Amino acid sequence: MTHTRSLTTVSRRRVVAGVGAAAAGGLAGCLGGDPGDGSTSAGDGTNAATTADESAIGDASDASATVGMIYALGGLDDRSFNDAANRGIQRARLDHDVAFANEEPSAFPELRSTQASLSESNDPDYDLICCVGFLQADGLSAVASEHPDQRYAIVDSAVDRDNVASYVFREHEGSFQAGHLAGLVTGRDVSVGAGSTVPDERTVGFVGGVESDLVRKFEAGYRAGVDHAAADASTLATYVGAFDDPESGYAAAAEMYDQGADVVYHAGGGSGLGVFQAAQEYGRYAIGVDSDQSRSNPRYADVILASMVKRVGTAVYDAAERTIDGDLGTGETAALGLAEDGVALVYGTSLGPVIPDDVRAAIAASGDRIVAGDLSVPSDPEELN
């Protein structure tokens, strides 16, 4: 059952500039990294390395490596998180002749059973089992300990096992930039594309999928970015309880737009499609997540200001490539943020060109400060209360 938390208006706080350590790296907000962030959805069932039902690899004797892909709940064609992961393994197939099978569990208990099934497989004997999504962590912790000779990677969580390579993201950093954009937009009289603002309201929104520590990082960074741009703006926040429920995403966003929200940012996977639908119907704006959703969902490009992309495909590609090279970082966790170009704010294809230069400059400047360690971003909403 899907549970919707009541909307809450969050009190405003300024982000405190800190001196936390951060590695120097690429300019925040730049493009690159994840293959296909600027492409349409790859979750169309087209995969020369798998059988027709994508449940097993056929003759992979000539492959450089065999990879079992276990996707997050919601499956492929979410035009967001899972599709970004699929683009990574598709690129590994093209670049390195990797053979892979796609597994799409439909319920939480199936995550662990699928991990176990692939681990016990002899035909094929997987060189790597790649688990996409934080909900796979508990199951993988147990399964990996039961199969110490099997190599695994998990994307979007960390599992403390010697045979697991973990990839996590500093989502709060990219979400800060999304919030910074929303906070700057809500204070202006904007009418472009299919949307417009109600500048007197100075209200924005956040719609999450399953409430968890990870998704709350999106909320925390977003709220902090809004505060950074407009201390007197209000942020409405709710969780719909699922990553594959567009109807609940629509209902949550519609309520926010009814309350005067100009922009709603979602971290809800497939549920976020409902946010875009509501934005069009109400004539407001939205910010996508994980992939450039103005490209993967072009029918909503006229209301998508930007997307906070996570280079999920890059993590998958890196794991596959390192498996081939024999240097997969098992027992280690790679953390990817703005400095590593693991997350970035990508402006929408239709609305990006009309975002004012001063707004772009302000967002680029805050990104530089985050990378330099001069601006700290909270990873828990409680830090803002």
Side-chain angles (χ1 to χ4, degrees):
M1 177 180 291
T2 296
H3 300 281
T4 303
R5 191 180 72 181
S6 300
L7 293 176
T8 56
T9 302
V10 182
S11 60
R12 307 285 47 135
R13 292 288 189 275
R14 284 284 189 188
V15 175
V16 178
V19 293
L27 177 68
C30 66
L31 299 178
D34 195 353
D37 273 339
S39 70
T40 55
S41 170
D44 57 3
T46 302
N47 181 354
T50 63
T51 58
D53 65 1
E54 295 191 4
S55 62
I57 297 175
D59 182 6
S61 58
D62 294 330
S64 60
T66 56
V67 179
M69 294 291 300
I70 306 175
Y71 293 95
L73 298 182
L76 291 170
D77 204 28
D78 65 350
R79 300 178 183 268
S80 184
F81 186 78
N82 282 324
D83 284 358
N86 181 254
R87 287 194 292 270
I89 197 64
Q90 291 279 11
R91 183 186 173 201
R93 175 177 66 84
L94 293 173
D95 290 355
H96 300 298
D97 293 322
V98 169
F100 68 96
N102 287 337
E103 298 288 345
E104 303 176 59
S106 59
F108 181 74
E110 294 179 22
L111 294 173
R112 178 171 176 173
S113 62
T114 303
Q115 294 166 1
S117 177
L118 267 59
S119 300
E120 294 161 5
S121 171
N122 292 315
D123 185 17
D125 183 4
Y126 290 100
D127 297 296
L128 174 70
I129 296 173
C130 186
C131 303
V132 180
F134 71 95
L135 290 178
Q136 303 212 41
D138 288 346
L140 182 57
S141 180
V143 171
S145 67
E146 295 165 359
H147 299 85
D149 295 329
Q150 174 67 57
R151 287 174 295 183
Y152 304 88
I154 185 166
V155 178
D156 224 20
S157 189
V159 171
D160 186 14
R161 290 288 182 266
D162 290 340
N163 54 339
V164 179
S166 301
Y167 293 85
V168 298
F169 300 86
R170 292 194 286 274
E171 298 90 352
H172 48 302
E173 293 181 354
S175 296
F176 181 98
Q177 297 216 289
H180 195 179
L181 173 61
L184 292 171
V185 167
T186 194
R188 297 180 177 223
D189 187 359
V190 177
S191 182
V192 295
S196 60
T197 61
V198 185
D200 291 341
E201 293 289 341
R202 299 179 72 81
T203 300
V204 300
F206 170 82
V207 174
V210 175
E211 186 169 7
S212 62
D213 289 344
L214 187 145
V215 182
R216 282 164 61 83
K217 289 169 63 180
F218 289 86
E219 179 189 349
Y222 179 69
R223 285 172 45 193
V226 173
D227 288 352
H228 185 74
D232 59 343
S234 296
T235 301
L236 306 172
T238 195
Y239 291 79
V240 299
F243 292 115
D244 58 355
D245 188 354
E247 291 184 1
S248 291
Y250 173 90
E255 186 173 353
M256 292 176 179
Y257 292 131
D258 273 335
Q259 295 187 38
D262 293 313
V263 183
V264 174
Y265 171 47
H266 88 86
S271 300
L273 296 179
V275 173
F276 301 147
Q277 293 167 358
Q280 276 190 338
E281 183 171 318
Y282 282 79
R284 304 290 173 81
Y285 298 110
I287 298 176
V289 78
D290 293 333
S291 300
D292 179 354
Q293 295 201 280
S294 70
R295 291 184 181 275
S296 61
N297 299 272
R299 59 184 157 171
Y300 303 120
D302 55 3
V303 295
I304 298 176
L305 292 172
S307 296
M308 198 292 283
V309 301
K310 291 171 63 172
R311 309 298 192 194
V312 177
T314 295
V316 172
Y317 183 88
D318 182 80
E321 189 173 53
R322 287 179 178 274
T323 297
I324 296 168
D325 294 340
D327 63 351
L328 182 66
T330 51
E332 302 174 357
T333 299
L336 309 176
L338 287 178
E340 299 79 15
D341 200 27
V343 296
L345 186 72
V346 174
Y347 295 106
T349 54
S350 293
L351 301 185
V354 299
I355 292 176
D357 289 343
D358 64 318
V359 172
R360 289 173 175 267
I363 292 170
S366 67
D368 285 342
R369 292 182 60 198
I370 292 170
V371 169
D374 296 330
L375 182 62
S376 66
V377 182
S379 58
D380 185 341
E382 295 299 323
E383 298 177 45
L384 292 163
N385 293 333

